[in-house]
Amino acid sequence: MALIVQKFGGTSVGSVERIEQVADKVKKFRDAGDDLVVVLSAMSGETNRLIDLAKQISDQPVPRELDVIVSTGEQVTIALLAMALIKRGVPAVSYTGNQVRILTDSAHNKARILQIDDQKIRADLKEGRVVVVAGFQGVDESGNITTLGRGGSDTTGVALAAALKADECQIYTDVDGVYTTDPRVVSQAQRLDKITFEEMLEMASLGSKVLQIRAVEFAGKYNVPLRVLHSFKEGPGTLITIDEEESMEQPIISGIAFNRDEAKLTIRGVPDTPGVAFKILGPISGANIEVDMIVQNVAHDNTTDFTFTVHRNDYQSALTVLENTAREIGAREVVGDTKIAKVSIVGVGMRSHAGVASRMFEALAKESINIQMISTSEIKVSVVIEEKYLELAVRALHTAFELDAPRQGE
Ligand code: ASP
Ligand code: MG
């Protein structure tokens, strides 16, 4: 008998029929003797619909009131699931974030959980009830409703699992696990049985959108075993843990991540003096623009070329800031490119293997793909390439690092 926190996302509770199916699933676990806490999202599309209503009143809705409205989506699904369970003879009770007492700070629309009072939940579990909790919402010290940011129900699930010291936090969604890369790009992508928190964080921040990043951080910090599973298909899913023991036998690379979210800016012919990087990037961060990759090169004539990437949404503002800087410091020119893509190989196995980066560069060279920028960390190598080669690059790397699933009949 285990204590399991199960979180079901919007598509899994997107209709009454689906909620009935979720109830069947929860009942199965209950019948097997597990203690269950179920965290739900709003029905798919509902949160967007509520935000849209608010925007019809005001372009910039008051954050506190926006939380009051968007938190209603989850209140609907928890009540429906509790009813469906009770109908099946399974004692159940639903709670809003306020009722459990999921205490957060007062940063409306992006609140952080400070503390969870688990007393009520434990008492219900002891009485044999399934506890159904609204995801995505909490309450601040003064009793204001808060929400945790889009996709925040994952964080609620993990936080509850941490507070209750649950044996596992299961995230049910519309995919059957975490894949070596996006199966829409590489048909031979494979489901991973296991991945570490660190790897998952890299994959998530690089664009693999299975889990909210904050939820993965939280799970890693409190060492909550997380499992991603398909809501309606049977299967083991992907377990996300701290465990690196078996990494010796694991492939060196766990996955290939990519995104088209960045743009590149270059300032050329900057007089190379101490403080140059600060002069260039100071105003960029002053404009609240986040910089990702950075490359600096010094030329023979004591000038330097400086290139960095920003989110594509920030490209225009970054360009304006940089052009001002160029005039002030006497740089030769500023150029930019939005048609780039970032491709990364991710794996804890890299720590114990040499030559991983060069293997990556070799695979790209074979496809005549030019690398524009490179950055590395302990468990990741990223390159920036021309956007039109993105899919080719991902496929080539997936094959080069032996991640392809065996073809039928092989
Ligand atoms: N309903 C919220 C959203 O759509 C929270 C969640 O689904 O996790 O962002
Ligand atoms: Mg979600």
Side-chain angles (χ1 to χ4, degrees), residues 7 9-10 41 150-154 210:
K7 182 260 168 177
S41 288
R150 298 306 305 271
S153 300
D154 289 345
V210 184

Side-chain angles (χ1 to χ4, degrees), residues 7 9-10 40-43 45-48 70 74 135-136 149-154:
K7 182 260 168 177
L40 298 184
S41 288
M43 289 180 167
E46 178 64 4
T47 308
N48 287 342
V70 297
E74 276 73 10
F136 177 56
R150 298 306 305 271
S153 300
D154 289 345

Side-chain angles (χ1 to χ4, degrees), residues 16-328:
V16 168
E17 297 76 57
R18 293 219 160 165
I19 290 177
E20 300 263 20
Q21 275 177 277
V22 169
D24 287 336
K25 176 151 222 141
V26 173
K27 181 177 188 308
K28 234 191 246 172
F29 278 87
R30 186 77 203 100
D31 290 346
D34 292 322
D35 278 338
L36 295 170
V37 175
V38 182
V39 175
L40 298 184
S41 288
M43 289 180 167
S44 54
E46 178 64 4
T47 308
N48 287 342
R49 188 185 72 86
L50 295 167
I51 292 173
D52 184 61
L53 279 178
K55 293 216 160 143
Q56 288 179 36
I57 300 281
S58 157
D59 283 345
Q60 290 196 317
V62 180
R64 181 192 182 279
E65 303 311 325
L66 189 60
D67 277 347
V68 174
I69 183 168
V70 297
S71 61
T72 61
E74 276 73 10
Q75 194 167 335
V76 172
T77 51
I78 56 169
L80 290 173
L81 181 65
M83 289 174 198
L85 286 167
I86 293 163
K87 185 169 86 178
R88 284 165 175 73
V90 179
V93 59
S94 70
Y95 292 124
T96 63
N98 188 8
Q99 288 175 313
V100 174
R101 209 136 193 275
I102 297 178
L103 183 71
T104 71
D105 61 20
S106 303
H108 286 288
N109 313 159
K110 49 173 190 291
R112 293 196 169 253
I113 297 176
L114 301 175
Q115 203 189 319
I116 293 181
D117 182 1
D118 61 347
Q119 289 312 311
K120 201 182 238 161
I121 295 179
R122 285 197 193 280
D124 281 310
L125 291 175
K126 223 168 149 196
E127 298 290 319
R129 282 187 276 270
V130 171
V131 181
V132 187
V133 180
F136 177 56
Q137 56 179 262
V139 63
D140 74 1
E141 280 288 0
S142 328
N144 298 300
I145 296 174
T146 56
T147 62
L148 309 177
R150 298 306 305 271
S153 300
D154 289 345
T155 302
T156 307
V158 173
L160 276 170
L164 293 161
K165 302 196 173 56
D167 295 291
E168 194 166 281
C169 179
Q170 303 177 340
I171 308 277
Y172 288 92
T173 179
D174 49 7
V175 292
D176 66 350
V178 179
Y179 274 68
T180 48
T181 195
D182 188 338
R184 283 168 302 186
V185 172
V186 181
S187 58
Q188 277 165 283
Q190 304 186 65
R191 182 184 55 78
L192 293 158
D193 284 325
K194 246 182 175 185
I195 186 170
T196 69
F197 290 118
E198 273 180 294
E199 290 171 323
M200 189 60 207
L201 265 184
E202 294 286 9
M203 297 288 280
S205 55
L206 292 164
S208 152
K209 294 195 177 60
V210 184
L211 283 173
Q212 199 204 27
I213 292 175
R214 264 173 66 193
V216 182
E217 280 170 358
F218 212 105
K221 188 163 159 200
Y222 294 98
N223 196 12
V224 177
L226 256 185
R227 192 183 289 276
V228 175
L229 304 128
H230 196 286
S231 303
F232 305 117
K233 284 186 217 154
E234 291 302 316
T238 299
L239 181 66
I240 307 164
T241 55
I242 232 164
D243 183 22
E244 269 184 50
E245 284 171 84
E246 284 157 294
S247 66
M248 300 281 289
E249 292 148 41
Q250 272 173 1
I252 303 167
I253 298 305
S254 298
I256 317 282
F258 57 86
N259 73 46
R260 299 176 171 91
D261 302 339
E262 293 186 23
K264 187 178 79 165
L265 295 118
T266 300
I267 177 166
R268 293 214 179 101
V270 182
D272 188 26
T273 53
V276 156
F278 177 63
K279 274 189 202 140
I280 295 169
L281 293 184
I284 296 285
S285 77
N288 253 319
I289 298 169
E290 252 183 75
V291 170
D292 181 28
M293 289 165 90
I294 303 172
V295 170
Q296 187 190 358
N297 263 331
V298 179
H300 299 301
D301 61 356
N302 278 328
T303 67
T304 174
D305 290 353
F306 196 97
T307 303
F308 57 94
T309 63
V310 297
H311 197 280
R312 249 183 229 190
N313 296 342
D314 290 329
Y315 175 70
Q316 277 308 331
S317 9
L319 193 61
T320 310
V321 172
L322 196 60
E323 277 165 351
N324 281 333
T325 307
R327 271 191 297 276
E328 274 164 33

